[in-house]
Amino acid sequence: MMEDAAKPTAMETLLATLDLEPIEVDIFRGRSPQVGWQRVFGGQVIGQALMAAQRTIETERFVHSLHAYFMRPGDPSVPIVYQVERIRDGSSFNTRRVVAIQHGKAIFALSCSFQIEEPGFDHQIEMPDVPTPEKLLGEQQIKEQYLAHAPPAVRKYWKRERPIEIRPVSLTHYFSDRKLDPRQDVWVRATGPVPDNRLYQAAVLAYLSDMTLLDTSLYAHGTSIFDQSLQVASLDHSMWFHRPDKLTDWLLYTQDSPSASGARGLTRGSLFTRSGVLIASVAQEGLIRKKANE
């Protein structure tokens, strides 16, 4: 009983994962939670690489954009070494490049830019009119009402404890092979407290930005990332941080996929607060390939 009481929550585990170990000047070591995944979740690598870069930036300068490439799958059984290169330190902007290394090879590369806070023109697109999260099924209700007859891969996904709770506005995609419009709206929120610290808030937001995106590019084809005949993987990921948020409430992640071709699918995303403030924009291209017949 004592062991259960001491077991960290999924959010506590994520925060510990983002708290990188410094091993040399501008070199950090990150570890992965041992949850049975065959490869490291892409959002974890984005969040850790961003945290490594942030730890080389002086205070009062915050990330405004990042651009990353996934090159090899991450091995969750061994640490990831993050090497930060200080590309530029200017009067208003700082630029960093981060390479993630495992087994002597680069698995991921990220470039990011930081800026002092300053006033300027201000506008944003409007948040879509969708049901609030309280009007949607929670994860426990989804498990009770739908999972008994869901495919094994879907059941495994929904039963795993995660640091980010998701409430899709529509569940059709998970339980149907209908071809749908390539867009979705998903409410997301942290399942535990996020520190009142902009470095952690940005890293957690980067972590969750990799959730559900790739799946949206499959909506128009009547399939999903749970289809065992598909090979799916993130190829690149870009993110723009518009306005800070403490991540204490639900966020609406609205997504659309303007194109799929050449075994790749592109998805765009916008993250809004409940009150409609646009805090970040995302774009990602992923591999969506039919596996060769065995």
Side-chain angles (χ1 to χ4, degrees), residues 28-78:
F28 303 86
R29 179 160 48 213
R31 302 184 184 277
S32 303
Q34 301 304 300
V35 292
W37 292 352
Q38 293 183 329
R39 60 177 61 187
V40 178
F41 170 54
Q44 175 194 314
V45 186
I46 299 170
Q48 286 183 325
L50 175 58
M51 184 61 82
Q54 289 181 136
R55 289 188 171 175
T56 70
I57 299 293
E58 60 187 80
T59 58
E60 304 310 316
R61 292 178 183 231
F62 301 101
V63 64
H64 70 86
S65 69
L66 63 82
H67 306 276
Y69 282 94
F70 297 91
M71 295 174 282
R72 294 180 175 89
D75 180 354
S77 68
V78 298

Side-chain angles (χ1 to χ4, degrees), residues 180-227:
L180 306 170
D181 288 339
R183 58 160 293 116
Q184 72 164 327
D185 297 294
V186 183
W187 288 98
V188 297
R189 72 170 173 182
T191 57
V194 176
D196 189 13
N197 177 309
R198 295 240 337 233
L199 305 190
Y200 277 96
Q201 291 162 5
V204 171
L205 193 64
Y207 173 93
L208 70 83
S209 73
D210 192 37
M211 300 178 70
T212 71
L213 266 182
L214 189 54
D215 214 21
T216 305
S217 64
L218 295 170
Y219 268 49
H221 309 282
T223 186
S224 77
I225 58 172
F226 302 114
D227 186 341

